Amino acid sequence: GAGVSQSPSNKVTEKGKDVELRCDPISGHTALYWYRQSLGQGLEFLIYFQGNSAPDKSGLPSDRFSAERTGGSVSTLTIQRTQQEDSAVYLCASSSRTSGRVSDTQYFGPGTRLTVL
Amino acid sequence: RKEVEQDPGPFNVPEGATVAFNCTYSNSASQSFFWYRQDCRKEPKLLMSVYSSGNEDGRFTAQLNRASQYISLLIRDSKLSDSATYLCVVNMRAGGFKTIFGAGTRLFVKA
């Protein structure tokens, strides 16, 4: 079946512009995660959605970052007034985890490579 | 101290070698454990889950020691295609669900 998809695959923007990154999780997966990975670095957790529960936003680095998940499926990560330090690969993952289970595997999309000039 | 720490690497090994990666975690609320593989400029992909009893998948063996809060990955008879970054991942319940990725250990297998 189809995996996690993300769009665009690459985004180049100018400092100060807003960007929107999209994630389509695997059908039926209730949990969705956003991470970012700077060049040569590990993954940094940003935000986590689980079903209809309030999202865990504890990883968002500043109030310029926000994310929504509509209808329990597609998610959009928005970065306002982008800065050069926002340049990174933004990865989305989904899992079939249900509340109370921490053992579900996360499946990653191919990522969006964001470059802020 | 980082919540999940891995060998800094990189590891450079010849084909056919056995290589072991170590990972420690600091939060005793950690409940599930995984090894992911990430190829250059690609997304992470699940290599294997790690169970308390230890588990093996072909040339790969994963071990978990809850008492020592330690996870390992052993690769036997390494292949050129094993060259990648190996990420240790820990899921936990600590005031909510949380996933922590280690920084990864880079492996280069050379002919």
Side-chain angles (χ1 to χ4, degrees), chain B residues 43-89:
Chain B
E43 72 273 23
K45 292 186 178 177
L46 178 69
L47 180 64
M48 55 200 305
S49 302
V50 188
Y51 304 117
S52 295
S53 55
N55 48 302
E56 187 173 312
D57 182 2
R59 298 182 293 108
F60 299 83
T61 301
Q63 297 270 346
L64 166 64
N65 184 321
R66 286 188 184 271
S68 302
Q69 297 185 184
Y70 166 92
I71 306 153
S72 66
L73 175 69
L74 185 76
I75 305 176
R76 290 180 298 277
D77 188 23
S78 52
K79 312 290 184 191
L80 295 175
S81 57
D82 293 334
S83 297
T85 297
Y86 290 82
L87 303 168
C88 173
V89 182

Side-chain angles (χ1 to χ4, degrees), chain A residues 37 97 100 102 105-106 108-109, chain B residues 31-32 36 38 91 93 99:
Chain A
Q37 187 172 33
R97 104 173 257 285
V102 297
T105 301
Q106 295 181 37
F108 283 83
Chain B
Q31 296 183 333
S32 59
Y36 277 72
Q38 186 172 26
N91 287 352
R93 279 214 169 276
T99 295

Side-chain angles (χ1 to χ4, degrees), chain A residues 81-97:
Chain A
R81 305 181 302 282
T82 52
Q83 303 295 312
Q84 288 182 330
E85 61 262 28
D86 299 334
S87 296
V89 176
Y90 289 80
L91 290 157
C92 174
S94 71
S95 75
S96 61
R97 104 173 257 285

Side-chain angles (χ1 to χ4, degrees), chain A residues 33 35 37 39 41-43 45 48 56 91 97 99-111 113, chain B residues 31-32 34 36 38 41-46 49 87 89 91-93 95-99 101-104:
Chain A
Y33 315 76
Y35 299 88
Q37 187 172 33
L39 188 63
Q41 302 297 311
L43 272 72
F45 167 77
Y48 159 63
D56 177 352
L91 290 157
R97 104 173 257 285
S99 179
R101 288 179 55 192
V102 297
S103 59
D104 289 335
T105 301
Q106 295 181 37
Y107 297 89
F108 283 83
R113 185 173 300 276
Chain B
Q31 296 183 333
S32 59
F34 308 87
Y36 277 72
Q38 186 172 26
R41 300 177 75 88
K42 298 286 190 181
E43 72 273 23
K45 292 186 178 177
L46 178 69
S49 302
L87 303 168
V89 182
N91 287 352
M92 64 184 77
R93 279 214 169 276
F97 176 79
K98 196 172 176 183
T99 295
F101 280 76

Side-chain angles (χ1 to χ4, degrees), chain B residues 21 37-40 80-86 105-109:
Chain B
F21 301 130
R37 169 193 170 130
Q38 186 172 26
D39 292 285
C40 189
L80 295 175
S81 57
D82 293 334
S83 297
T85 297
Y86 290 82
T105 302
R106 189 80 187 269
L107 172 66
F108 294 97
V109 181

